[in-house]
Structures are given as C-alpha cells and as structure tokens.
Amino acid sequence: MDKKSIFFLGISILILIIMLWFVGIDKVIDALKLANMTLLLLALLVQVFLYFLYTLRWQILNKLADMDVSIKKLLPMVLVGLAVNNITPSGRGGGEPVRAYILSKENEEYHFEESLATVVTDRALDTLPFVLLAAITIASMALFFNFDLWLIVVMVAAVIAIIIILAVLIYMCINIEFGKRVDGWIIGLVRRFYKKNSEKLENQIHKAIFGFQDTMKLLISNKKGLIYTLSLSFFIWFLEIFRVYLVFLAFGANVSFIIIAEVFIVSSLVGMIPLLPGGLGAIDGTMILIFSTAGVSPSISAAATVIERLISFWLATILGMVILPYYGSSVLDKISFSSSDEIEESSDDSDE
C-alpha cells in the first residue's frame, strides 16, 4: 500500500470515528450487545457466497473469450481486486486492471488486453443493473423523501455520467473507427507527456486497444452468455441488498426491504465517486443519515452500518491484502503509472 492510499484510508477511518463520536460510541456499543448473532452470521455467509458469484460471473466471461480458468484460481484474484478497490480512491475501479494483470501473468498464454476485456465486461455487467436500480431509486426518493434539490441533481448527474462512460466503452468496441480515434487521442497524450522511448509504448497501446476491441466484440456477440451473466448480476445485487437487510434485522430495526434497497443504492452511488478509498466514510455517513431520516434511531443505524461495512468492506480488504503477497509486490505497481520508469518497465514486460 503506497503513502497516498494510506493517507486516504486514514482520512476515511477518521471520518467514520468522528461520525460515531457524534452519534455516541457508548450507544453504538450498547446496540452491538443486543444484536442477533445468528442473523449476523447469516449475513456473513451471504457475503462469502457473493465472492463465489463474483468469481463465477468472471469465469463465464473468461470462457466466452476462450480462457478456461478454474474458480479456485480466479477467486483469490477477485479478492485482491476488491481489496485494491477498497484502498484506492478510484471509484471502485482501481482493482480491475490489477486482477486482469494477475490473470495474464499467472497464465502466460493469455494476453493482458484479453483479460482486461473480460474484467471490463464483468464491471459493465455489474453496473447495468445498478444504473437501472439507481434510476428507480432516485425517482422514488424524489417523490417520497424530503431531499434538497441539489442532492437529487447530483445523484442524477452521477447516474448520467455512468451511463455515458458505459455507452462510450461499448461504442468503442463495436465501432472500429471510433476505437481508432480513442487510440489516437491516447497516443497524443503519450507524445505530449512521455518523451522517452515513446514509440515502443505507442506500439503497446495500439496492441492493447485493438486486442481489447476484438475480445470485447467476441463477448458482446454471445447473447446467451450475456443474458446469463446479466441475470446473475441482478441476483448478485439482490443478495447485496438482502445482506444489508439481515444486518439491520439483527439489530431489531423495523425497516422495510424497499427502504433498505433504496438507501443501499444511494450510498453505493455515493461510494462510486472517486474521492475516498472504497467510499469509506461517505457510504457509512450516507447510510447512517438516511436511515436516521427514515425513523431508525441513530445508535442502531450507526451500529448496523458499522457491522455491515465490516462484512462488505473490511472482510474483502483484509482477505485480499493477505493474499496479495502471493502474487508479488509488482502487482500494486500496475494500479497506476506514477513514473516514466514504471511505464517503461511495463512496456518491456509486455515485449517479453
């Protein structure tokens, strides 16, 4: 974990501590003592099952791209990707290149651009149900909750931004000419900011973009596989919401499943804004605030949110960081190219 990640993670934890202090740490502890441990254990099992479903979806996409990798090998990569998402302020996208890189290095017959295409498709299939749920949620909360207009506008803008990004990505994959324009734009940036040995890096970028396009077109053309994985994605989101419902039920909070779903979707939308690692602090605060507005006592809301985040955020972070050393320290270098030496090293590795 680099200094920047540690700094942002520290800020996130500090924000969470301040919120708990305002609610009353003693009240939160009292609420924890009354929790139903059976329901909390069930919520934990649901989360573990979700890790399996994340991996299953990625495995199906890999098979569609002629990359046959077992769930046993993919699961640790998924956990590392989740952990990197959680420690980097990247709008939950920092771990995707990392797991694509690990897959390409663990299986030399698979190229990075191919594995990256399956990872991006996996992320897109996860995002599509979320966009639909977010649109329904925003409309519902605008009608039945007394939110400020600026907050509704921000949420709508965030959903529109996600849709635009997805549309550009899909269009780039089905339109060769548009893909060439993207390639030219990236090459222009490279020539402006990276003078040393730029020709080699440009060739790598050409290869990556066009290889990415080919693999994405192969995945998109398989309608049966996409329908199956998209259905799986909707089921995954249902289980995500069900996990939160179980946690609040464990604390005796009388909140409907619909309210739980709406609050979870809104907090997830906030968490996609690349400001803090994994949305830590922002997601927690949003959940506590809205649940309190919905009639849940602040102490119960805070306690349930803390436990929910321990299950959904910290479990994956700890497991992923424990597994990470197995793949070597160079994996984290692929999160971002912070220096020209790293870019050159990456380019050299690809040639080999």
Side-chain angles (χ1 to χ4, degrees), residues 191-224:
R191 289 174 179 171
R192 175 176 293 186
F193 296 106
Y194 183 66
K195 305 297 183 182
K196 184 180 178 182
N197 196 20
S198 63
E199 184 177 350
K200 181 187 290 187
L201 182 57
E202 288 174 22
N203 290 333
Q204 293 297 324
I205 292 171
H206 285 308
K207 180 181 177 183
I209 288 179
F210 294 124
F212 175 78
Q213 277 186 301
D214 292 340
T215 306
M216 284 290 286
K217 279 188 280 188
L218 178 65
L219 294 171
I220 292 173
S221 64
N222 193 312
K223 294 182 180 179
K224 183 178 179 180

Side-chain angles (χ1 to χ4, degrees), residues 123-300:
R123 171 57 68 183
L125 287 169
D126 185 65
T127 304
L128 283 172
F130 173 75
V131 168
L132 178 61
L133 292 172
I136 296 172
T137 297
I138 292 171
S140 174
M141 299 191 88
L143 292 173
F144 300 108
F145 284 81
N146 188 24
F147 281 118
D148 291 335
L149 180 61
W150 70 266
L151 182 58
I152 299 295
V153 171
V154 168
M155 290 192 293
V156 170
V159 172
I160 292 174
I162 294 171
I163 293 174
I164 290 173
I165 292 171
L166 279 175
V168 169
L169 181 65
I170 294 172
Y171 188 64
M172 186 188 80
C173 297
I174 62 178
N175 189 300
I176 296 177
E177 290 302 318
F178 183 71
K180 290 179 179 179
R181 291 180 190 175
V182 173
D183 179 64
W185 179 73
I186 295 175
I187 294 300
L189 289 179
V190 169
R191 289 174 179 171
R192 175 176 293 186
F193 296 106
Y194 183 66
K195 305 297 183 182
K196 184 180 178 182
N197 196 20
S198 63
E199 184 177 350
K200 181 187 290 187
L201 182 57
E202 288 174 22
N203 290 333
Q204 293 297 324
I205 292 171
H206 285 308
K207 180 181 177 183
I209 288 179
F210 294 124
F212 175 78
Q213 277 186 301
D214 292 340
T215 306
M216 284 290 286
K217 279 188 280 188
L218 178 65
L219 294 171
I220 292 173
S221 64
N222 193 312
K223 294 182 180 179
K224 183 178 179 180
L226 284 180
I227 291 173
Y228 179 64
T229 49
L230 189 58
S231 301
L232 183 59
S233 295
F234 274 101
F235 182 58
I236 286 173
W237 275 101
F238 169 79
L239 287 182
E240 294 264 18
I241 297 168
F242 182 61
R243 180 198 64 231
V244 182
Y245 179 72
L246 286 174
V247 172
F248 274 81
L249 201 62
F251 284 91
N254 187 21
V255 187
S256 73
F257 188 84
I258 299 299
I259 295 295
I260 293 285
E262 290 178 338
V263 176
F264 179 70
I265 294 297
V266 171
S267 60
S268 297
L269 185 60
V270 172
M272 287 188 174
I273 301 173
L275 296 176
L276 294 172
L280 186 61
I283 290 179
D284 310 72
T286 302
M287 290 181 69
I288 293 172
L289 177 63
I290 302 180
F291 277 123
S292 298
T293 304
V296 181
S297 69
S299 58
I300 295 294

Side-chain angles (χ1 to χ4, degrees), residues 7-199:
F7 172 74
F8 280 114
L9 201 58
I11 290 179
S12 301
I13 295 172
L14 180 61
I15 292 172
L16 180 58
I17 292 173
I18 292 173
M19 285 189 299
L20 291 176
W21 182 77
F22 273 107
V23 171
I25 295 178
D26 55 333
K27 293 181 180 179
V28 174
I29 293 174
D30 290 339
L32 287 171
K33 292 177 181 178
L34 299 175
N36 186 319
M37 297 307 297
T38 301
L39 290 176
L40 291 181
L41 178 60
L42 182 57
L44 180 63
L45 292 176
V46 169
Q47 181 61 32
V48 172
F49 183 54
L50 280 168
Y51 296 148
F52 167 77
L53 294 182
Y54 297 153
T55 309
L56 175 63
R57 183 177 59 196
W58 191 27
Q59 184 196 41
I60 294 170
L61 293 172
N62 282 327
K63 285 184 177 180
L64 293 178
D66 296 323
M67 294 188 289
D68 192 3
V69 188
S70 68
I71 287 182
K72 182 180 178 181
K73 288 186 176 180
L74 291 177
L75 179 58
M77 301 179 196
V78 169
L79 290 172
V80 169
L82 290 172
V84 174
N85 279 340
N86 290 345
I87 66 173
T88 55
S90 54
R92 297 187 180 185
E96 315 311 340
V98 173
R99 60 175 165 131
Y101 170 76
I102 293 174
L103 178 58
S104 64
K105 288 302 178 183
E106 289 294 297
N107 302 268
E108 294 183 358
E109 66 270 25
Y110 305 144
H111 298 294
F112 174 74
E113 56 269 16
E114 295 172 343
S115 58
L116 182 61
T118 64
V119 168
V120 172
T121 306
D122 181 56
R123 171 57 68 183
L125 287 169
D126 185 65
T127 304
L128 283 172
F130 173 75
V131 168
L132 178 61
L133 292 172
I136 296 172
T137 297
I138 292 171
S140 174
M141 299 191 88
L143 292 173
F144 300 108
F145 284 81
N146 188 24
F147 281 118
D148 291 335
L149 180 61
W150 70 266
L151 182 58
I152 299 295
V153 171
V154 168
M155 290 192 293
V156 170
V159 172
I160 292 174
I162 294 171
I163 293 174
I164 290 173
I165 292 171
L166 279 175
V168 169
L169 181 65
I170 294 172
Y171 188 64
M172 186 188 80
C173 297
I174 62 178
N175 189 300
I176 296 177
E177 290 302 318
F178 183 71
K180 290 179 179 179
R181 291 180 190 175
V182 173
D183 179 64
W185 179 73
I186 295 175
I187 294 300
L189 289 179
V190 169
R191 289 174 179 171
R192 175 176 293 186
F193 296 106
Y194 183 66
K195 305 297 183 182
K196 184 180 178 182
N197 196 20
S198 63
E199 184 177 350

Side-chain angles (χ1 to χ4, degrees), residues 277-335:
L280 186 61
I283 290 179
D284 310 72
T286 302
M287 290 181 69
I288 293 172
L289 177 63
I290 302 180
F291 277 123
S292 298
T293 304
V296 181
S297 69
S299 58
I300 295 294
S301 179
T305 298
V306 168
I307 296 301
E308 149 58 21
R309 293 292 277 164
L310 281 173
I311 295 172
S312 64
F313 179 91
W314 289 107
L315 179 62
T317 303
I318 293 170
L319 290 174
M321 295 308 291
V322 169
I323 295 170
L324 183 59
Y326 171 78
Y327 296 112
S329 60
S330 63
V331 169
L332 282 181
D333 293 337
K334 306 304 174 182
I335 296 176

